[in-house]
Each structure stands twice: as C-alpha cells, then as structure tokens.
Amino acid sequence: MWTLPRTQFARSNGSSSSDEKEIAVNIGGVRLVLCGDILNRYPDSRLAELVNCSTRSFDVISSLCDDYDPGKREFYFDRDPDSFKCIVEVYYFGEIHMKRGICPICFIKEMEFWKIDLSYLDECCKSNLTEKEEELAEIADKVKVILDDLNCDPNVSRTERWQKFLWKLMEKPESSLPARVIAVVSFLFILVSSVVMCLGTIPDLQVENSEGNRVEHPTLDAIETACIGWFTVEYVLRLASSPNKVHFALSFMNMIDFLAILPFYVVLVLTCLGTTMMELANVQQAVQALRIMRIARIFKLARHSSGLQTLTYALKRSFKELGLLLMYMGVGIFVFSALGYTMEQSHPETLFRSIPQSFWWAIITMTTVGYGDIYPKTTLGRCNAAISFLCGVIAIALPIHPIINNFVIYYNKQKVLETAAKHELELMELRALELAVKSSSRRCDAPGNTWEGAMRASRSDTYIPLLLGARSERTNTCAYLHRFDRSL
C-alpha cells in the first residue's frame, strides 16, 4: 500500500476525527490512503467530492468512481497509477510535475478526470505538452490532406474534378503511378539541364558563329530548349491546377521554378529584337547575367528530395546557432586582423597594407583554408596566426553539433509523424469496416456513403478534439510520439 504522510494539522487532531476524514482509493491496483483535510484544499476536485459525499447514496458515489466497497470504505478507479502519483502532488505542494515516460496527452486527460485545473501544471511540463500538441496537429494535417485526396464529392463539377486530378498528378508523386513517373521524369530533366549548362562552358564543345564568337554547340542548345519546354509546361500545369494561385506564385520553391525558365525567354525576346539591339554592351551583359541565373534550376531538386527539404528546415531551426557562429567569427576576424596589421608594420616587406585588407587573411586563417597569398613574416605575426586558426577551429566546432542535432531530430520526427499518420488512416479504415458491418442491415443505396460517413466522423475527431484530448482513442498516436522521445 502506498501512503502519503499526513500534515501536521491532521496529526494534531484526534484519531477518530482524522479516521473519519481519511479515504482509501485504489488506483489501478495501487491502494492509497488520503487525508480528507488535504483533499478539501481543492473542493472542486473529484477526490474532494468523494470525501464530502461519503454519507450520500450509493448512486452518487458510483458516479464519481468505478466501484466502491462500503465495508472497507475503499474507492476503486480504473486509471493510470503512475499519472495519479503525479497528480496527487497538487494537494501537498500546490503544483504538478509530470514524470518522464508519461504521455503528455494522456496525462492531461487524467487531470481532467480528477478535475484538476491545467494551471497547476508546471511551466516545464506545459512546454512539453505544447510540443506534443503541435506534433499531433501536424499529424492531423497530414491525415486531412490524405483524406481530401481519397474523398470524391459527387457535387463537384467536372472542371474542378479535372483540376484536382491534375494537381495530384503534378504535385503529389505518392498519389498514383503516373504521378510518380512524372516526378521521376522531371527529376531527370533537371539533372540533364544542369549537366548541359556545365558542358556548354567547355571551350572544346563550343562552336563559332558567323561573327566569330564562341557559342554553345547546337546539340546542347537543342537539349536546353527541350528542357526549358518541359519546365514551362510543368509550371503552367501546376499553376493552372493550383487551388490557390496567389499562394502558389509567392511560394519560395515556385519562385525558383519561375526564375529557372525566365532567362531563356528573356534572351529569346532580346534576340528577336534584332542584332542592333544585341550589339549594345549593356544588353549583352544583361543576357550573360540572365544565363547565369540558370543555376537556380538546381534548386528545383529540393522539390523532389525530402532530404534537401529536411536540411532546409533544420537550418531554419538553427538560426540561433548560425548567428552565434557568425558572431564568433566576426569578432575573431576583427581582433586578429587588427593584431596582424599592427604586428606586421615593422617588417619592410609586409603584406598587411591595411586592416580591411587583413580581414581576408583573418577569414582564410580562421576557417583553416590558407591560400598563401597573404601571410605574416614576423615572429609575433606568426604567433598571432597560430592563435587565430586555433580560435577559428573552436569557434566553428562549437555550434556545429547543435545544427547536426537539429537535423537528426527533425528528420526522425518527420519519419515518426508519417508513420503515425499512416497508423491513423489504418485505424480509420478499421472503424469504417466495423461501422459497415454494424450497419449492414441499414445499408444506404449509395455504396460509398458508409465509408465517407466514417471518414468524415473520424476526420472531425482528428483536428480540434485531438488537441483538446476529447477522445481516448488518440492515445495510439501519442504512443508513437512517446516512443520517439524515449529513443532520443
């Protein structure tokens, strides 16, 4: 039997009065004796109501607990005993700390059952709860997107149906085999276009035009035109089928797609304006700058690579660490460049002409690159260089581990969320089949109504009630997230 110590006030009272105030509760097989005076500190809680209604009818007591033994005056609850050990601390210490290893969502449901306000939960535990709620919200969003793809509303017009089909075909490779083939073809076009752009700069593969200038080989130019044609058709189809045209156009990755095809058409327009226009030096420089912008198409790979997307999100979450790295390097560059300039002034053949010029030396020294174009020649200058590259190694190494850790955590988290989302869909399918079996006698004329009804009911229980902890069935998803935390 697990027993909590009485307070000094309870011990000072007579034994008979304190016995009358004591109640015995059995939480999942763990028996606990509690003092009524302590429980009455929170009169709205379930335990306080049990103490105050001990003389009432059996029906009232049964509404507050799962079972009751009048002989032992013991109340039985089919609840988690580990969570209750944390919750009962509020009566003695005025706050609740959630132990490691307990699912936060399940713990909140336990608090709601015992009628303890969430404000008594400690701030550190609230932050953990907020993180779990965000993860469950992400799972709900993933499930909602998949359900939107599965559901087919018969009231939708044919144009909207074709638009949705085209959007899944161009934007969601996992939706069907043709969509996966299109994604692979687009990936190959990106690689071919990038290789052709690099090969076009090799002098041996270039040819001379009528004016004697070296230009790209016609074969490479034809391949480039074919790739641009594919990128253009792909972008136009994705834009036409997008549910939100403004959001699509302002998306970062879609802006990269647009910039990848823009230089080709700008150069084409300038060429069509005539040779007189193209002879202008400024126009030729603009054309060269636009052709360099073709390197932006390599970033299109991020749209087809989950690893590159994970790296981008990890860098976003590591802005603080990256800021610290830049601050460390900036301070070191300024200090060591000034010291190097001062120490090298006594040498007649010094390479440190000014402090700004010494910045370059400090940068390549602290990053351990060392091109050798500028170097110290005095003894003090060499000592300064040795200290500078040691400090540079330390400054770079310190923030690297948190950045790598953020990448690993985010990558593992995304895999867990995807697994949890698939698990939610499996549960929804099982509920739909169970509902179909139970309602087989009342089957509707439309064959898809049972599945759609079950899906709609499951989806309505996925987002907002999921965060509020209204249904205990969501604990299966929490188990995945909890296992992920313990693995870290």
Side-chain angles (χ1 to χ4, degrees):
M1 182 181 67
W2 177 47
T3 307
L4 288 175
R6 296 182 186 177
T7 61
Q8 184 177 0
F9 174 76
R11 287 196 301 266
S12 63
N13 293 335
S15 59
S16 60
S17 60
S18 58
D19 290 340
E20 292 177 358
K21 287 290 186 178
E22 284 184 349
I23 64 171
V25 294
N26 192 307
I27 313 297
V30 179
R31 191 171 186 273
L32 173 66
V33 177
L34 299 174
C35 182
D37 294 334
I38 298 177
L39 299 179
N40 284 324
R41 294 176 180 177
Y42 301 94
D44 296 332
S45 63
R46 184 179 292 268
L47 292 177
E49 292 180 358
L50 279 177
V51 172
N52 298 326
C53 75
S54 59
T55 58
R56 298 182 185 178
S57 63
F58 183 79
D59 295 335
V60 177
I61 297 177
S62 299
S63 63
L64 297 174
C65 62
D66 296 323
D67 198 2
Y68 174 59
D69 187 351
K72 298 180 179 179
R73 296 186 59 193
E74 186 172 347
F75 302 91
Y76 294 91
F77 296 90
D78 188 14
R79 312 299 297 186
D80 182 20
D82 295 331
S83 299
F84 181 77
K85 291 179 181 179
C86 301
I87 294 175
V88 78
E89 291 181 356
V90 71
Y91 296 99
Y92 295 88
F93 308 110
E95 60 181 3
I96 300 176
H97 287 275
M98 183 173 53
K99 294 182 179 179
R100 186 177 181 84
I102 299 178
C103 176
I105 304 300
C106 298
F107 190 79
I108 294 303
K109 295 176 182 177
E110 291 291 325
M111 291 184 62
E112 293 177 353
F113 175 80
W114 297 108
K115 299 182 181 181
I116 301 297
D117 193 81
L118 295 180
S119 60
Y120 295 107
L121 191 63
D122 195 71
E123 292 297 329
C124 62
C125 302
K126 287 182 180 179
S127 61
N128 191 16
L129 173 64
T130 303
E131 181 180 354
K132 293 301 178 185
E133 289 178 344
E134 292 176 356
E135 292 174 353
L136 291 178
E138 293 182 19
I139 295 176
D141 291 338
K142 292 179 182 293
V143 173
K144 184 177 182 298
V145 170
I146 297 176
L147 290 177
D148 289 339
D149 294 338
L150 292 176
N151 292 339
C152 183
D153 192 354
N155 299 325
V156 177
S157 63
R158 179 175 298 180
T159 303
E160 294 178 349
R161 192 179 300 114
W162 274 102
Q163 181 182 0
K164 187 176 182 179
F165 170 77
L166 186 60
W167 174 254
K168 291 194 296 183
L169 189 67
M170 302 301 298
E171 195 68 18
K172 299 180 179 181
E174 69 280 356
S175 61
S176 61
L177 180 60
R180 193 176 296 110
V181 172
I182 291 178
V184 173
V185 172
S186 179
F187 182 81
L188 294 177
F189 267 104
I190 295 173
L191 291 181
V192 171
S193 176
S194 302
V195 172
V196 167
M197 183 186 67
C198 297
L199 294 178
T201 60
I202 301 178
D204 296 338
L205 298 179
Q206 295 178 344
V207 295
E208 293 185 357
N209 57 8
S210 58
E211 299 178 356
N213 298 324
R214 302 193 67 83
V215 295
E216 293 184 1
H217 197 277
T219 304
L220 298 179
D221 194 29
I223 297 176
E224 173 75 10
T225 303
C227 293
I228 291 296
W230 171 266
F231 295 151
T232 304
V233 172
E234 181 188 31
Y235 183 83
V236 171
L237 290 178
R238 292 173 58 235
L239 178 62
S241 60
S242 173
N244 191 339
K245 304 294 190 300
V246 177
H247 182 269
F248 177 88
L250 297 180
S251 176
F252 176 73
M253 295 306 303
N254 295 327
M255 292 176 65
I256 290 179
D257 293 343
F258 180 75
L259 292 177
I261 61 178
L262 178 64
F264 177 83
Y265 293 102
V266 174
V267 172
L268 184 63
V269 171
L270 294 178
T271 305
C272 295
L273 291 178
T275 57
T276 305
M277 184 71 177
M278 293 299 295
E279 288 176 356
L280 297 177
N282 294 333
V283 175
Q284 293 179 354
Q285 293 177 0
V287 169
Q288 293 296 328
L290 289 173
R291 294 181 69 86
I292 293 176
M293 287 178 58
R294 294 184 299 174
I295 62 176
R297 67 187 60 171
I298 196 65
F299 294 104
K300 289 167 63 67
L301 293 175
R303 193 163 59 87
H304 303 281
S305 174
S306 59
L308 292 177
Q309 295 175 7
T310 303
L311 178 60
T312 302
Y313 291 130
L315 291 177
K316 287 182 180 179
R317 297 173 64 91
S318 304
F319 276 158
K320 182 178 180 180
E321 289 79 6
L322 293 175
L324 290 175
L325 174 61
L326 294 178
M327 185 187 70
Y328 294 156
M329 295 299 296
V331 172
I333 289 170
F334 182 81
V335 171
F336 291 112
S337 61
L339 291 176
Y341 170 76
T342 304
M343 295 175 181
E344 290 295 311
Q345 288 303 299
S346 60
H347 199 280
E349 298 179 358
T350 179
L351 300 176
F352 294 78
R353 304 298 180 182
S354 63
I355 292 180
Q357 186 181 4
S358 303
F359 286 167
W360 169 248
W361 167 82
I363 291 174
I364 62 177
T365 303
M366 294 190 68
T367 56
T368 67
V369 177
Y371 291 113
D373 54 344
I374 178 173
Y375 55 90
K377 297 182 178 181
T378 63
T379 303
L380 291 177
R382 291 171 181 173
C383 294
N384 178 61
I387 298 175
S388 66
F389 87 79
L390 288 176
C391 293
V393 170
I394 296 175
I396 294 175
L398 286 177
I400 291 299
H401 179 72
I403 296 174
I404 296 176
N405 193 38
N406 288 338
F407 175 82
V408 174
I409 290 177
Y410 187 84
Y411 181 76
N412 293 335
K413 176 182 174 182
Q414 291 302 311
K415 295 182 72 66
V416 170
L417 292 179
E418 291 177 2
T419 304
K422 293 179 181 179
H423 183 69
E424 283 289 322
L425 290 176
E426 293 174 357
L427 290 178
M428 291 179 182
E429 185 176 359
L430 291 176
R431 294 192 196 101
L433 294 176
E434 183 181 356
L435 181 62
V437 172
K438 291 182 178 180
S439 60
S440 58
S441 59
R442 298 174 298 172
R443 186 173 301 170
C444 301
D445 296 335
N449 286 342
T450 302
W451 167 262
E452 293 177 2
M455 282 298 183
R456 194 174 299 111
S458 299
R459 181 172 51 184
S460 65
D461 185 40
T462 300
Y463 194 75
I464 300 300
L466 176 65
L467 302 184
L468 298 178
R471 298 291 180 91
S472 60
E473 293 152 349
R474 295 297 165 203
T475 56
N476 295 309
T477 303
C478 302
Y480 277 94
L481 302 176
H482 173 54
R483 251 180 280 164
F484 168 69
D485 279 347
R486 296 190 65 180
S487 64
L488 296 178

